[in-house]
Amino acid sequence: MHTMTAQAPQATADPVDVDDLAATDDAPTVPELDPEAALLCALLHTTDTTEARHITRHLEASDFLNPRYGYLYSVIADLIAASEPHHAPRVLAALTNAGRMAGHQGRLLADALQVVALLGTPAIGVRTLAADVLDAAYRRHFARTAAELTRASTEAPTDDLFEILLNQGRAMRRETTRRADLTGGPTSGGEGQE
């Protein structure tokens, strides 16, 4: 009988990234059709700093469904706010300087940066792409609000329900205003009301 004396190798794989699983549920599988990837590509290549600053004043990293794209956006936005170049090599340098390029997560960020940098999306229409990203986030926010209100209807004290509804409405009003500010469009009825 043969007995094994060597130890089994230890698993070295990173744990499953739940954000990655969530991001793959709703995101397009082809980067060319993904408004988030297209927006990042356009921002990397735009020379219109006024337009880039306008977008980064209104769009947030949390508006991105793909967490890696959201992180890349935050680096790009920081570079734009600091009036620094925001092309792909500079973003990579900022990621490296922040210690974000190590290990599995670093490889995922580098891969995501490479995908968006080479996508070929023209910088013309970058605000429209930003509006597309924000519109998708706006819809997700509505879905979360509906779920929270449904949960509150069964779990919250009856006396708290109306205040919960008002708080959710105020939050959605802020999102509606932010959306209008990005696109330059009107907000829906009830200007200035809560």
Side-chain angles (χ1 to χ4, degrees), residues 89-189:
R90 183 64 191 107
V91 172
L92 182 61
L95 289 167
T96 302
N97 291 340
R100 293 300 308 245
M101 297 310 296
H104 179 66
Q105 291 300 321
R107 285 190 303 278
L108 292 175
L109 279 172
D111 289 347
L113 179 59
Q114 181 178 356
V115 165
V116 299
L118 300 176
L119 203 52
T121 305
I124 297 171
V126 67
R127 188 180 300 199
T128 302
L129 290 169
D132 291 344
V133 169
L134 186 54
D135 283 351
Y138 188 70
R139 287 184 174 277
R140 289 191 302 273
H141 197 111
F142 261 96
R144 281 191 303 274
T145 297
E148 288 171 16
L149 289 174
T150 299
R151 185 174 48 82
S153 73
T154 60
E155 297 176 8
T158 303
D159 290 343
D160 294 346
L161 290 175
F162 188 66
E163 192 60 36
I164 291 169
L165 176 65
L166 289 177
N167 287 337
Q168 292 294 334
R170 288 181 190 109
M172 286 312 303
R173 168 58 64 201
R174 285 189 295 276
E175 292 300 307
T176 301
T177 301
R178 185 166 67 98
R179 185 172 169 257
D181 290 345
L182 172 67
T183 62
T187 57
S188 57

Side-chain angles (χ1 to χ4, degrees), residues 37-47 52 72-73 75-76 79-80 85-92 112-119 121 123 126:
L39 171 61
L40 292 176
C41 180
L43 281 173
L44 287 172
H45 295 98
T46 189
T47 57
L72 290 175
Y73 172 78
V75 173
I76 294 167
L79 291 170
I80 290 168
H86 51 274
H87 48 69
R90 183 64 191 107
V91 172
L92 182 61
L113 179 59
Q114 181 178 356
V115 165
V116 299
L118 300 176
L119 203 52
T121 305
V126 67

